[in-house]
């Protein structure tokens, strides 16, 4: 379970990005966080990843008090959260296969596990035929599928996808959302931030709407109503 308990974030220039935000995300949920640009979605994600500290309030992941993690523990903690971003963040000098295997190497996984698991996740994102291509040889949708494969290969508890379809056309957007749904069906919590109304309406999952750093709606099977 993830808990945000009255979290406020005021950046050093005085901007109030989160204003007493409280929410609970249960294991295996698929939650979309929507809201206009500047609403605080990315700040929320950064807090969960322990990339920013709250000005006040607490964030828990299971029994972990995220802000009390020591420097040496943060690395291990972040491995439990797979991340996917709008700009893919692939390594341009590595093939699709290597982008994924590298993430496993960094997590200290054995060669046998790597050679077993990489083909498996490539199959899951329908990219087995592109294993030896480089990122510049892929479409945007394909790049994002590599990023998802890399995010899930170390079997995190949570996938955080921050505007993953921001650079994609409607067909690729649909495909990425279907893959995230599949990942969720396999038991991973998914937190998706998006502006895209079509994405939200087709999902039929929980939608949290943010405005000026506050949760203004929380619908069990929501639609985007801004
Ligand atoms: P969203 O992801 O919903 O677009 P953000 O969390 O990125 O919202 O931003 C929330 C508010 O915090 C915005 O007003 C933004 O300008 C501000 N903000 C974000 N990051 C910083 C920062 N590092 N320093 C100062 N202000 C920031």
């Amino acid at each position: 379970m993830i808990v945000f308990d009255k979290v406020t974030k005021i950046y050093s220039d005085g901007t109030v990005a989160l204003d007493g935000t409280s929410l609970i995300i249960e294991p295996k949920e698929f939650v979309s966080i929507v809201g206009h640009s500047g609403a605080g979605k990315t700040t929320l994600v950064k807090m969960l990843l322990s990339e920013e500290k709250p000005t006040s309030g607490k964030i828990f992941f299971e029994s972990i008090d995220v802000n009390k993690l020591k420097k040496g523990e943060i690395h291990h903690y972040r491995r439990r959260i797979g991340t996917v971003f709008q700009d893919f963040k692939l390594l341009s000098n590595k093939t699709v296969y290597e982008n994924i295997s590298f993430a496993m190497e960094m997590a200290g996984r054995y060669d046998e596990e790597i050679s077993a698991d990489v083909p498996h996740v490539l199959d899951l994102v329908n990219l087995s035929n592109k294993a030896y291509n480089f990122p510049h040889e892929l479409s945007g949708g394909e790049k994002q599928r590599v990023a998802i494969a890399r995010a899930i290969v170390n079997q995190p508890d949570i996938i955080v996808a921050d505007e993953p379809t921001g650079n994609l056309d409607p067909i690729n957007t649909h495909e990425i959302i279907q893959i995230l749904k599949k990942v969720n069906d396999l038991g991973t919590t998914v937190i998706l931030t998006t502006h895209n109304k079509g994405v939200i309406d087709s999902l039929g999952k929980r939608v949290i709407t943010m405005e000026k750093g506050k949760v203004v709606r929380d619908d069990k099977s929501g639609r985007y109503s801004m």
Side-chain angles (χ1 to χ4, degrees):
M1 187 159 80
I2 298 161
V3 178
F4 277 73
D5 185 19
K6 300 194 193 80
V7 175
T8 291
K9 175 65 179 179
I10 305 172
Y11 284 108
S12 53
D13 66 354
T15 304
V16 181
L18 291 180
D19 185 4
T21 302
S22 294
L23 55 91
I24 293 175
I25 298 173
E26 301 287 351
K28 304 184 185 193
E29 262 197 291
F30 191 127
V31 182
S32 303
I33 301 178
V34 305
H36 296 300
S37 182
K41 306 181 294 295
T42 299
T43 300
L44 199 78
V45 165
K46 284 185 172 162
M47 302 268 148
L48 179 63
L49 292 169
S50 193
E51 287 178 8
E52 291 281 356
K53 296 227 174 287
T55 309
S56 63
K58 279 186 178 295
I59 298 140
F60 290 95
F61 173 46
E62 295 170 355
S63 57
I64 301 167
D65 185 337
V66 174
N67 303 299
K68 293 216 169 120
L69 287 169
K70 305 212 168 61
K71 269 223 164 85
E73 296 169 329
I74 288 179
H75 203 55
H76 186 252
Y77 166 73
R78 287 194 186 135
R79 288 227 182 97
R80 301 185 63 182
I81 309 174
T83 50
V84 178
F85 297 101
Q86 179 167 354
D87 59 356
F88 321 122
K89 298 196 192 299
L90 300 179
L91 300 168
S92 58
N93 60 344
K94 291 191 188 294
T95 63
V96 167
Y97 186 100
E98 288 164 349
N99 263 278
I100 301 165
S101 64
F102 186 65
M104 294 187 77
E105 284 166 32
M106 290 294 101
R109 307 278 297 274
Y110 295 111
D111 287 351
E112 303 82 67
E113 291 178 282
I114 294 175
S115 50
D117 291 358
V118 177
H120 177 66
V121 291
L122 281 174
D123 183 45
L124 193 82
V125 301
N126 305 321
L127 273 183
S128 303
N129 59 335
K130 299 280 181 182
Y132 300 106
N133 288 84
F134 286 89
H136 75 269
E137 298 169 325
L138 304 178
S139 71
E142 288 167 343
K143 283 183 202 166
Q144 199 56 300
R145 282 188 273 148
V146 179
I148 293 175
R150 181 180 57 182
I152 62 177
V153 76
N154 289 317
Q155 296 160 15
D157 301 290
I158 311 166
I159 290 284
V160 174
D162 195 6
E163 292 280 359
T165 61
N167 286 331
L168 304 180
D169 63 29
I171 291 172
N172 281 305
T173 294
H174 178 75
E175 198 168 50
I176 292 301
I177 297 304
Q178 290 312 308
I179 290 171
L180 289 174
K181 264 180 122 164
K182 192 153 82 174
V183 169
N184 178 243
D185 288 340
L186 293 170
T188 310
T189 306
V190 175
I191 303 174
L192 165 74
T193 78
T194 183
H195 278 97
N196 190 320
K197 185 178 180 322
V199 163
I200 298 306
D201 290 350
S202 70
L203 263 170
K205 303 273 190 188
R206 181 178 174 195
V207 179
I208 293 171
T209 308
M210 296 193 62
E211 222 174 272
K212 295 184 184 146
K214 285 191 156 77
V215 172
V216 293
R217 281 181 74 118
D218 190 343
D219 298 311
K220 266 210 157 52
S221 172
R223 294 178 73 83
Y224 194 164
S225 56
M226 293 189 63

